[in-house]
Amino acid sequence: MQRQLKIVHTSDVHLDSNGTSTPVDGFRSRAERAFAGVLDTALEVNADLLLIAGDLFDNNRVDDTNIDFVYRQFARLRPGKCQVVMLPGNHDVHDATSVWNRFDFDAAGEHVHGLMAHGGTSVNLKDLGVTVWGRAMFEHAPENYPLDGSPDRHDGHWNVGMAHGQVVDERIDQGSSPITREEIETSGFDYLALGHIHVWADHSEGSTKAYYCGSPVAHYAGAGGGKVAVVTLCPEAGVEVSSRQVTDWDADDKDETRGYGNGFPW
């Protein structure tokens, strides 16, 4: 039987301690500060589940201090309370050189799960009454279809999907990792956590609520960024989605050393 579930959804954090110059509020980078803010939000709203829909790391060359930072942040969540599910994106693709090959899920905690199968895989969190599915990206290419192989819907528990790519009308000539509106509508997911676009966007189709939460790092997205999605799955009221500001953008203090901005995927 379905129970009410609170989710915090983030993506495109782009952690890389080597990519910034000066500390921010005691953190080595704006990305670290923003990710800590994501965890703050999960704690403040008493989230049952934290979804990270790709590009937690900026590239596969990040040093292990960035991984250690993530371990420390995940340790703030009580294993019996908030579960974490992560999906690789186009910056941290799951290939032979992937940062995910160095990520120790045992060290991260029993409450931390990765969707690392290239053909797609699910995590069934029975205590929460939810199954989370996602397809790990091996290569960001036009032939990569993030929703290919998504499972049939099963009633009796919540069906949640994760996908990192570009929402398009059709796959043909629409760039890499396309996600069509028809695929969203027919997916059967109660909620689809999207990653890749750095600003907030609603791409719900049919009965599937689907959102880009945008990057929590406002400086990577301009005035429309710096948010996470807070999702409530309620058996009576259905799916409710709202945005929550994590960091703010100051046009006079924009970090021009990074290749992000204006909401475009990178």
Side-chain angles (χ1 to χ4, degrees):
M1 182 175 179
Q2 291 175 328
R3 50 157 282 192
Q4 183 165 308
L5 198 65
K6 183 81 72 175
I7 298 172
V8 169
H9 160 209
T10 192
S11 71
D12 298 277
V13 183
H14 293 284
L15 287 168
D16 180 6
S17 60
N18 294 325
T20 52
S21 55
T22 57
V24 181
D25 296 341
F27 296 98
R28 295 181 300 174
S29 66
R30 291 188 177 97
E32 284 195 349
R33 179 180 64 174
F35 190 58
V38 171
L39 273 291
D40 290 341
T41 300
L43 291 167
E44 288 166 9
V45 303
N46 293 315
D48 301 291
L49 181 60
L50 171 62
L51 303 177
I52 304 175
D55 289 355
L56 175 58
F57 300 102
D58 185 61
N59 57 74
N60 283 330
R61 302 178 303 279
V62 297
D63 64 51
D64 288 349
T65 62
N66 297 276
I67 298 174
D68 291 337
F69 174 77
V70 172
Y71 293 159
R72 293 196 300 274
Q73 291 300 312
F74 286 162
R76 298 171 56 197
L77 301 176
R78 288 181 295 153
K81 171 57 181 172
C82 185
Q83 301 287 310
V84 181
V85 182
M86 301 185 291
L87 182 76
N90 63 302
H91 276 250
D92 50 8
V93 292
H94 192 236
D95 60 13
T97 64
S98 179
V99 59
W100 296 108
N101 297 331
R102 292 183 277 131
F103 193 94
D104 185 343
F105 282 91
D106 289 335
E110 62 183 12
H111 58 311
V112 180
H113 315 273
L115 302 176
M116 298 295 157
H118 298 152
T121 190
S122 297
V123 174
N124 185 7
L125 302 172
K126 294 182 180 179
D127 290 345
L128 298 181
V130 61
T131 297
V132 184
W133 178 90
R135 190 169 180 267
M137 187 183 296
F138 175 76
E139 182 181 13
H140 186 46
E143 299 78 21
N144 177 55
Y145 304 140
L147 285 183
D148 241 15
S150 57
D152 293 336
R153 176 179 176 81
H154 291 284
D155 293 328
H157 59 81
W158 296 111
N159 295 260
V160 172
M162 299 176 71
H164 193 92
Q166 177 79 45
V167 174
V168 297
D169 290 324
E170 56 183 15
R171 288 177 175 178
I172 306 301
D173 298 325
Q174 292 292 333
S176 297
S177 303
I179 302 165
T180 68
R181 301 181 192 282
E182 182 181 1
E183 286 177 311
I184 294 173
E185 183 174 4
T186 61
S187 68
F189 293 124
D190 297 297
Y191 183 72
L192 177 60
L194 296 169
H196 191 43
I197 302 298
H198 287 187
V199 295
W200 179 272
D202 180 358
H203 286 286
S204 301
E205 298 287 344
S207 60
T208 299
K209 296 287 188 181
Y211 281 79
Y212 287 110
C213 57
S215 173
V217 189
H219 283 70
Y220 295 173
K227 298 179 174 69
V228 296
V230 178
V231 185
T232 303
L233 305 181
C234 179
E236 293 79 22
V239 182
E240 299 178 351
V241 185
S242 63
S243 65
R244 184 168 176 136
Q245 201 75 31
V246 174
T247 61
D248 295 308
W249 185 75
D250 183 346
D252 296 325
D253 189 35
K254 188 166 186 257
D255 185 349
E256 301 292 351
T257 66
R258 302 305 299 262
Y260 311 110
N262 303 318
F264 292 107
W266 298 94

